[in-house]
Amino acid sequence: MVLNDVRQGFASLWESVSEGWQRVRQSAAGALIRFMPSENSALPGKSEVDDDFYFPSQGWALLGGDVFEDDQRVLVRVEIPGMRKDEIKIEVTDDALVVSGEKRFERESAEGRYRVLQCAYGNFRRVVPLATRVLPDQASASYNDGVLKVVLPKASPGKPASHTVHVS
């Protein structure tokens, strides 16, 4: 009897952890960005770096961002530090804002026994789902201190739609 209780308790715990992990994974899926070096990223080759564990490869990162909505517009802020304005590409589709770009590696000089390397991010792409229709031709964007701010006027100004759902 006690062994059955332990099994059921463990099964219930495992199910709860598994469900929680699925929720975290789904909610983070849109924010998790894969950085991939391109041919033009100018990353140093393995033979040029004095580190046996260096592999120029892709990595994952999280680009922080916020989405605000008021009666007239949707405001999207995405943290993309270390970029130049001309390295950022912004597209607006029917239901999403797509921000992409490429950070190119910048080499530093070596002195004596030290070598200084800057960060290299490679390509990235962030898709921000839009809950309301916007006017892409009237959108504006600014980039300051590593933060991209995109303002999207709503196609149908007004408060976000909400509906009350009764629990049965």
Side-chain angles (χ1 to χ4, degrees), residues 7 13 15 21 26 69 72 74 82 84 89 92 109 116 126 129-130 137 144-145:
R7 282 185 184 161
L13 173 69
E15 186 178 315
W21 174 251
Q26 288 173 353
E69 179 179 354
Q72 302 295 319
V74 175
R84 292 189 328 250
K89 182 178 178 186
V92 181
S109 63
V116 179
R126 172 83 187 261
L130 299 173
D137 56 330
N144 192 22
D145 293 334

Side-chain angles (χ1 to χ4, degrees), residues 25-45:
R25 199 181 84 176
Q26 288 173 353
S27 62
L32 199 57
I33 308 299
R34 186 178 210 166
F35 290 95
M36 301 180 298
S38 69
E39 294 176 13
N40 301 327
S41 61
L43 289 173

Side-chain angles (χ1 to χ4, degrees), residues 82-93:
M83 299 287 292
R84 292 189 328 250
K85 292 176 184 177
D86 61 337
E87 296 173 326
I88 301 170
K89 182 178 178 186
I90 302 169
E91 297 173 80
V92 181
T93 64

